[in-house]
Amino acid sequence: MKLSRYLHDSLDALGIGACEYDADMRALGWNGTFLQFFPEDDGLIYVGEPYGDNLLRFYQGRLSPEELPDIARHVAEGVARHENQTQPFEFIHNGRKLRASSLRAPDGGRVRLWQRLDVESHAERAPELVLPIIDALPFIPDGASILDAQDRVIAANDAFRRLYDLPRGTPVVGRTLDEIIAWCWRDASPVGAWRAAISNGLRYDGVPFEIELPGQRWLRLIARHSTGGLSFFTHADITVAKRQQMELLEAQEALRRANAALAELAETDGLTGLANRRRFVARLAEAAALSQPVALMMIDVDHFKTINDRFGHLVGDACLKAIAEVVANEVAPTSALVARIGGEEFGILLGGMRIEAAHDMATAIRRALTLVPWQMHHADLAGVTVSIGLCVGEGPLDGTSLHARADDALYAAKRNGRDRIETSSQPPAPLRVAG
């Protein structure tokens, strides 16, 4: 998406500011009217600037010193408005009342448009006409309030009092919304950062914002402003909808966790808790394809059939668990994957490791196995040994070839007497790229 210079000039002629953003919310282009409306961007905005950086500059010039600590929240809410805006909203900037619109492009980008509102309503031209509006407040079903230029309430209806649990006789006129909500939270710790939400809501017309109250209650506020300094707020109870939304999000999160657990279970060996063959094969292909050293260690328990036949499968399973624990303890988990390939065979995938370090690790595994109290599993079980085959190469490699070479080294260790380490003398094949 990129508007032509002709369209930019046409929008300038109509007095409409425009700025384009791509799908990653980075600036693509803007016109002269945009810089008239936002002179703080002149000479600073650039192609590729993140929208968040633009908003940061915008708020640095608008927020009071007391509000600046919440600038990150203002920016985050502004980015959310940019991503989700479907209806125009209005605000005052540099003495101009602007209506902001946003058009989504097919490629995911957006064009933001700003139009100056020169035509004021009767209430805006003549603030004294606010009196009939005050008279109409009791007939508004939702909570309603009117704020003056200092953001203090000058009128509110009974529905407003009920929404904020304000007892009859509690002073409302002359107080800010911030003070009223602080009063609501007087006996509890506030959960929501309502001050930043109100500060933002006071600036933008027609943009709903939410306030949390004690007892897990939520209100949605919408503001309308006049150039005469008056603000008209509606307050609606959205507790039921908000709780339903939270329950839905919780259900979705529970489903996500359950699916993640199932996926983990599908790739985990039930006996040892190590990765299973499925995960091993997938990770092997990924690691071998990287441009880095990669080592593969294949381990097979010596005479495991004899152990099963003589002492039973329960003892055999206990031996496999003990070996799995030893191997896992000797291998750094950040750079390796330990898996039970099947039966009495284990595989260790070591990304970024060269032959010397891999051989030292294999030696440490064999040494650690000699320290296992095997007789705790059966009085006649003197010890358990393993044969280890090693293959190391420089990626990108063919994962299947790496596996085959490590297996060849393992079988060599078996042939040469077991309880030993053998290294493949034949390098694995390089990865073939299709095309």
Side-chain angles (χ1 to χ4, degrees), residues 90-99 115-121 124 205 224-227:
E90 299 166 7
F91 62 102
I92 297 174
H93 186 62
N94 292 331
R96 300 185 180 97
K97 189 169 186 179
L98 303 177
R99 174 177 290 138
Q115 181 182 14
R116 182 173 181 176
L117 301 181
D118 295 320
V119 179
E120 300 172 340
S121 69
E124 291 170 330
D205 275 13
R224 292 289 177 186
H225 302 82
S226 75
T227 53

Short mmCIF file of all heavy atoms in Angstrom, two decimals, residues 90-99 115-121 124 205 224-227:
data_model
loop_
_atom_site.label_atom_id
_atom_site.label_comp_id
_atom_site.label_asym_id
_atom_site.label_seq_id
_atom_site.Cartn_x
_atom_site.Cartn_y
_atom_site.Cartn_z
N GLU A 90 -13.02 11.90 17.86
CA GLU A 90 -12.65 13.31 17.80
C GLU A 90 -11.81 13.69 19.02
O GLU A 90 -11.96 13.11 20.10
CB GLU A 90 -13.92 14.19 17.75
CG GLU A 90 -14.78 13.90 16.52
CD GLU A 90 -16.17 14.49 16.63
OE1 GLU A 90 -16.40 15.24 17.61
OE2 GLU A 90 -17.02 14.20 15.77
N PHE A 91 -10.92 14.67 18.82
CA PHE A 91 -10.12 15.18 19.93
C PHE A 91 -9.61 16.57 19.55
O PHE A 91 -9.69 16.99 18.39
CB PHE A 91 -8.94 14.25 20.23
CG PHE A 91 -7.95 14.09 19.09
CD1 PHE A 91 -6.75 14.77 19.10
CD2 PHE A 91 -8.23 13.25 18.01
CE1 PHE A 91 -5.84 14.63 18.07
CE2 PHE A 91 -7.33 13.10 16.97
CZ PHE A 91 -6.13 13.80 17.00
N ILE A 92 -9.13 17.27 20.54
CA ILE A 92 -8.61 18.62 20.33
C ILE A 92 -7.09 18.58 20.44
O ILE A 92 -6.54 18.03 21.40
CB ILE A 92 -9.20 19.61 21.35
CG1 ILE A 92 -10.72 19.69 21.16
CG2 ILE A 92 -8.57 20.99 21.21
CD1 ILE A 92 -11.42 20.53 22.21
N HIS A 93 -6.41 19.15 19.44
CA HIS A 93 -4.95 19.16 19.42
C HIS A 93 -4.48 20.50 18.87
O HIS A 93 -4.92 20.93 17.80
CB HIS A 93 -4.42 18.02 18.56
CG HIS A 93 -2.92 17.88 18.60
ND1 HIS A 93 -2.23 17.62 19.75
CD2 HIS A 93 -2.00 18.00 17.61
CE1 HIS A 93 -0.95 17.55 19.48
NE2 HIS A 93 -0.77 17.79 18.19
N ASN A 94 -3.61 21.17 19.62
CA ASN A 94 -3.10 22.48 19.22
C ASN A 94 -4.23 23.46 18.91
O ASN A 94 -4.15 24.25 17.96
CB ASN A 94 -2.16 22.35 18.00
CG ASN A 94 -0.88 21.63 18.34
OD1 ASN A 94 -0.40 21.68 19.47
ND2 ASN A 94 -0.30 20.95 17.35
N GLY A 95 -5.31 23.40 19.70
CA GLY A 95 -6.42 24.32 19.53
C GLY A 95 -7.38 23.95 18.43
O GLY A 95 -8.37 24.66 18.20
N ARG A 96 -7.12 22.87 17.70
CA ARG A 96 -8.02 22.43 16.63
C ARG A 96 -8.79 21.20 17.09
O ARG A 96 -8.22 20.31 17.73
CB ARG A 96 -7.24 22.06 15.36
CG ARG A 96 -6.41 23.16 14.74
CD ARG A 96 -5.82 22.64 13.43
NE ARG A 96 -5.01 23.62 12.75
CZ ARG A 96 -3.68 23.68 12.84
NH1 ARG A 96 -3.03 22.79 13.58
NH2 ARG A 96 -3.01 24.60 12.18
N LYS A 97 -10.06 21.15 16.73
CA LYS A 97 -10.82 19.93 16.96
C LYS A 97 -10.72 19.08 15.71
O LYS A 97 -11.10 19.51 14.61
CB LYS A 97 -12.29 20.24 17.29
CG LYS A 97 -13.06 18.99 17.74
CD LYS A 97 -14.41 19.33 18.32
CE LYS A 97 -15.07 18.09 18.88
NZ LYS A 97 -16.39 18.37 19.48
N LEU A 98 -10.19 17.87 15.87
CA LEU A 98 -9.94 16.99 14.74
C LEU A 98 -10.78 15.73 14.85
O LEU A 98 -11.01 15.22 15.95
CB LEU A 98 -8.45 16.60 14.69
CG LEU A 98 -7.43 17.74 14.61
CD1 LEU A 98 -6.02 17.18 14.66
CD2 LEU A 98 -7.64 18.57 13.35
N ARG A 99 -11.22 15.25 13.69
CA ARG A 99 -11.88 13.94 13.63
C ARG A 99 -10.89 12.97 12.97
O ARG A 99 -10.42 13.21 11.86
CB ARG A 99 -13.17 14.00 12.82
CG ARG A 99 -13.81 12.62 12.61
CD ARG A 99 -15.13 12.70 11.87
NE ARG A 99 -16.15 13.32 12.72
CZ ARG A 99 -17.02 14.21 12.30
NH1 ARG A 99 -16.97 14.63 11.05
NH2 ARG A 99 -17.92 14.70 13.12
N GLN A 115 -9.46 15.25 9.88
CA GLN A 115 -10.23 16.35 9.31
C GLN A 115 -10.53 17.36 10.40
O GLN A 115 -10.99 17.00 11.49
CB GLN A 115 -11.53 15.83 8.70
CG GLN A 115 -12.39 16.91 8.05
CD GLN A 115 -13.68 16.34 7.52
OE1 GLN A 115 -14.05 15.22 7.85
NE2 GLN A 115 -14.38 17.12 6.71
N ARG A 116 -10.28 18.64 10.10
CA ARG A 116 -10.57 19.68 11.07
C ARG A 116 -12.07 19.94 11.09
O ARG A 116 -12.71 20.05 10.04
CB ARG A 116 -9.82 20.96 10.73
CG ARG A 116 -10.04 22.08 11.75
CD ARG A 116 -9.16 23.26 11.48
NE ARG A 116 -9.39 24.30 12.48
CZ ARG A 116 -8.70 25.43 12.54
NH1 ARG A 116 -7.75 25.67 11.65
NH2 ARG A 116 -8.96 26.32 13.47
N LEU A 117 -12.62 20.00 12.31
CA LEU A 117 -14.05 20.26 12.46
C LEU A 117 -14.26 21.74 12.73
O LEU A 117 -14.07 22.21 13.85
CB LEU A 117 -14.62 19.41 13.60
CG LEU A 117 -14.46 17.89 13.45
CD1 LEU A 117 -15.07 17.18 14.63
CD2 LEU A 117 -15.08 17.40 12.15
N ASP A 118 -14.66 22.48 11.70
CA ASP A 118 -14.87 23.92 11.84
C ASP A 118 -16.31 24.27 12.19
O ASP A 118 -16.61 25.38 12.61
CB ASP A 118 -14.49 24.65 10.54
CG ASP A 118 -13.00 24.52 10.25
OD1 ASP A 118 -12.23 24.62 11.22
OD2 ASP A 118 -12.64 24.31 9.09
N VAL A 119 -17.22 23.31 11.99
CA VAL A 119 -18.64 23.56 12.28
C VAL A 119 -18.95 23.06 13.67
O VAL A 119 -18.80 21.88 13.97
CB VAL A 119 -19.55 22.85 11.25
CG1 VAL A 119 -21.00 23.11 11.58
CG2 VAL A 119 -19.22 23.34 9.84
N GLU A 120 -19.35 23.94 14.56
CA GLU A 120 -19.63 23.57 15.94
C GLU A 120 -21.13 23.38 16.14
O GLU A 120 -21.95 23.98 15.45
CB GLU A 120 -19.13 24.67 16.88
CG GLU A 120 -17.63 24.92 16.77
CD GLU A 120 -17.21 26.14 17.57
OE1 GLU A 120 -18.10 26.96 17.88
OE2 GLU A 120 -16.02 26.27 17.87
N SER A 121 -21.47 22.57 17.11
CA SER A 121 -22.87 22.41 17.46
C SER A 121 -23.34 23.61 18.26
O SER A 121 -22.54 24.43 18.70
CB SER A 121 -23.05 21.13 18.30
OG SER A 121 -22.45 21.31 19.57
N GLU A 124 -21.73 23.80 21.52
CA GLU A 124 -20.34 24.23 21.49
C GLU A 124 -20.24 25.74 21.32
O GLU A 124 -19.38 26.39 21.90
CB GLU A 124 -19.60 23.50 20.36
CG GLU A 124 -19.42 22.01 20.63
CD GLU A 124 -18.92 21.27 19.42
OE1 GLU A 124 -19.24 21.70 18.29
OE2 GLU A 124 -18.22 20.27 19.57
N ASP A 205 -12.99 11.92 21.69
CA ASP A 205 -14.44 11.80 21.57
C ASP A 205 -14.81 10.47 20.94
O ASP A 205 -14.24 10.08 19.91
CB ASP A 205 -15.00 12.93 20.70
CG ASP A 205 -15.24 14.20 21.49
OD1 ASP A 205 -14.75 14.27 22.63
OD2 ASP A 205 -15.90 15.11 20.98
N ARG A 224 -17.86 13.06 25.00
CA ARG A 224 -18.04 14.02 23.91
C ARG A 224 -17.62 15.38 24.45
O ARG A 224 -18.01 15.77 25.55
CB ARG A 224 -19.50 14.07 23.44
CG ARG A 224 -19.97 12.81 22.75
CD ARG A 224 -19.35 12.66 21.39
NE ARG A 224 -19.74 11.41 20.76
CZ ARG A 224 -19.24 10.98 19.60
NH1 ARG A 224 -18.34 11.73 18.97
NH2 ARG A 224 -19.63 9.85 19.08
N HIS A 225 -16.82 16.09 23.67
CA HIS A 225 -16.29 17.37 24.12
C HIS A 225 -16.82 18.52 23.27
O HIS A 225 -17.11 18.34 22.08
CB HIS A 225 -14.75 17.38 24.06
CG HIS A 225 -14.11 16.31 24.86
ND1 HIS A 225 -13.97 15.02 24.40
CD2 HIS A 225 -13.56 16.33 26.10
CE1 HIS A 225 -13.36 14.29 25.32
NE2 HIS A 225 -13.10 15.06 26.36
N SER A 226 -16.88 19.67 23.88
CA SER A 226 -17.20 20.88 23.14
C SER A 226 -16.00 21.81 23.17
O SER A 226 -15.18 21.75 24.09
CB SER A 226 -18.42 21.58 23.76
OG SER A 226 -18.05 22.23 24.97
N THR A 227 -15.92 22.65 22.15
CA THR A 227 -14.80 23.60 22.13
C THR A 227 -14.96 24.64 23.23
O THR A 227 -14.02 25.36 23.54
CB THR A 227 -14.72 24.31 20.76
OG1 THR A 227 -16.00 24.88 20.45
CG2 THR A 227 -14.31 23.34 19.69
#
